[in-house]
Amino acid sequence: MENATEAARAGPAASGTTVVKSVCRSCHGGCGVKLHVQDGRLVRVEGDRESPLNRGRLCPIGTRTIDLVYHPDRLQYPMRRTGARGEGKWRRISWDEALGEIADRLQAIKAEFGAESIAMGTGTGRHHIRWVSRFGHALGTPNWCEPGFAQCFHPRINASILTMGDLPVNDFLSGTPPQCIVYWGHNPVNSGPDGETRFVSRDAHAAAAKTIVVDPRRTELAKEADLWLQLRPGTDDAMALAWLHTIIEEGLHDRAFVSEWTHGFDRLAERVRGYSPEWAEPITWVPAADIRAAARLYAATRPSMMEWGCAIEHTPNCIQTVRAISMLPALTGNIDVPGGWVLGMKGLGRFPSLIENLSPEMNAKRLGADRFKMLGGEGADLPAAHIPTLLTAMRDGVPYPVKAFLVFGNNTLTTFGNARMAHEALMKLDLLVVADLFMTPTCELADIVLPAASWPELDQLAGLPTIAANVVLAQRKAVRIGECKSDEEIFVELARRMKLELGTEDVDTVLAQQLARGCGVALDELRERGFHSMPMRFHKYRDGGFRTPTKKFEFHSTRMESMGYDPLPYYEEPPESPIATPGVAKDFPLVLTSGARIPFFFNSEHRQIAALRRAHPDPLVEIHPDTAAAHGIAAGDWVWIETLRGRIRQKAKLTDGIDPRVVHVEHGWWFPEEPGPEHGVWKSNANVLTRNDPPYDPAMGPYHLRGLLCRIALVRPGEA
Ligand SMILES: Nc1nc2c(c(=O)[nH]1)N[C@H]1C(S)=C(S)[C@@H](COP(=O)(O)OP(=O)(O)OC[C@H]3O[C@@H](n4cnc5c(=O)[nH]c(N)nc54)[C@H](O)[C@@H]3O)O[C@H]1N2
Ligand SMILES: Nc1nc2c(c(=O)[nH]1)N[C@H]1C(S)=C(S)[C@@H](COP(=O)(O)OP(=O)(O)OC[C@H]3O[C@@H](n4cnc5c(=O)[nH]c(N)nc54)[C@H](O)[C@@H]3O)O[C@H]1N2
Ligand code: SF4
Ligand SMILES: [Mo]
């Protein structure tokens, strides 16, 4: 049997069981695992004690892998809709029929409207993320999207590449403990976050002498911190500018590093002169003395890690916020040092994205590329389409029609800003194909649904930028369920069926090429061990400089300047806020933030896994007890949360760890147990509340997910 032979190669185990070394990818991933297989069935998932990224530990989600793989609701064969779009009527079809129909309809749409009218979509940090754009490029379309490129991690990646030539991550593995850690809009003990695993992050936390937390909510990390700055959501730019001001005005910066290795220090000093902690206090709601104390503590304590998270990317001033925060480690000499920020060792070679298949004219058609050059054009590492612009093209046909959307692992209706608008757009398509593990509310709108293999069912590689600085990991297929195929296999089969000139090599060939261009370890050898650690080098910029035009860390960004964006960071009030729109604030007086990660779910996933759902059965809205009392709300009551876009309900969790003027809602909620086709997607979905209309970040296009205006009310009997 195919599965058993594959497993046998990976090593012996007790009585009839084989053990396959792999990597968990239920979050962005990284934890080493041993998959125990008996008679072709996964019987145990064990943390790999040898893996430097988790040393045998697994989080609640990883622990429930078997429940995910064998869940009775898993999609196991392709389906075609029989009723109207979104009516929820389906019939089983064969792969042959599914791929045949998709191929024919794509050829017809391409012939009539051009390749650009076909868009590709995927979800955050998936194993197959790069394969989605690869297939799109092979097909000839420049339009592909992923929420992370719009809104999460990729603003950090692209801004870092422009600023210092590479994405920095924290040095968790060299054994040098950080003296200080700053958690800025990031809660890595709950999130299996980007660029690290929660376990290496916890170990660093335990070793750190000092910690500082910048977060509107009193998280577990905030409770333990030396300093907690409880800022107003959406004001991270003002906070970061005040830190820069303090460090520079007080001369706390690392003069040797700054003078030898940075560009534009004087211009930065001039820019931040007016951004004092006193200036920032009324904007951020944090006392100036606390801001100053944090900047001083941070500058005085080295080496220091900057743990930054997606909260800083969820406003339309995202790029300048990211840039301002990225300058703090440079000012304090914490770049590419043990126990600080490090630049990666490039274990994986560049992925063959096939973007060279697109002509300059086709590249120019990428939706949003003309405006958002750091997302869709010359300032992007891998250019992507701008999601609101793409949805508008689907819904309204401008600037040109988008007729087909092929979605590989994204729950569009729950995770894109302004979910109602996303729904209107999907309803207008000629062809919607969704590959997923489960029948999500987004799948329910499709023409064809494809059953995707879950992570223990497929082969892949993983490494920076999604995981660790000097480690490359092999993900291994241990089992297969029903007729599922991996996303990568689906792309290869579809490319072959459409007789495309590119993108038809089998998966292993591409993986082997990528490895050969990187750390050079052979695929088989890597698969046997599960991971490969390269020797880490620090201060790599000392040979030849940073990979920027000036060869320096650029406070003043020459590339942003040449693209027509402000080369220095600035403050901009979120477009909907008590300060920007006092008129709206009269009716919607509370500041709304969303999306803080829950350890039991990954974004919109895992609500159907009984053990995880028991641990967190309902969506919770966090409210200060005084605010709740003023609205007649008690703990556990269902509460309406309403913005200019719409209203949802979540259950009240009262906590004095949140400012009385702020409310936090959980994101990603739908209810797999409720009847289709909606599965309760409009009930508690945070993105009914958010917006995706302008203004956007001028360089990258992010819209507004955190720091909006809302009001709350008790849900009365009979109202729900
Ligand atoms: N209001 C608000 N909205 C947010 C956020 C927030 O903080 N607040 N966070 C934003 C962020 S940072 C992100 S990155 C996005 C995430 O948005 P998404 O990427 O959409 O998030 P997920 O729910 O993790 O994944 C989507 C789907 O992928 C499926 N899936 C899992 N594994 C596979 C696989 O191997 N193959 C296939 N084909 N499918 C698979 C899952 O079943 C799920 O239905 O959400 C964003 N939305
Ligand atoms: N278990 C689990 N792991 C996950 C995910 C998941 O859903 N579940 N999602 C994955 C994804 S896509 C991502 S991007 C990462 C995200 O993981 P993180 O980067 O850790 O982000 P969050 O947990 O969303 O938010 C971190 C903190 O930001 C705070 N916050 C809210 N608004 C603001 C603000 O305006 N400013 C500041 N400074 N802080 C604010 C929240 O209170 C929260 O404590 O986690 C990934 N890993
Ligand atoms: S933290 Fe992520 S990779 Fe690690 S066990 Fe949990 S879900 Fe898997
Ligand atoms: Mo994300």
Side-chain angles (χ1 to χ4, degrees), residues 600-622:
F600 309 103
F601 308 127
F602 189 74
N603 299 313
S604 74
E605 293 181 60
H606 304 126
R607 299 331 188 260
Q608 58 282 87
I609 312 275
L612 295 174
R613 188 67 180 278
R614 269 198 302 278
H616 197 105
D618 299 306
L620 301 179
V621 50
E622 283 183 11

Side-chain angles (χ1 to χ4, degrees), residues 24-31 57-63 192 198-199:
C24 178
R25 300 300 300 275
S26 266
C27 68
H28 296 139
C31 295
R57 292 162 287 183
L58 295 175
C59 81
I61 299 175
T63 308
R198 70 180 68 192
F199 300 109

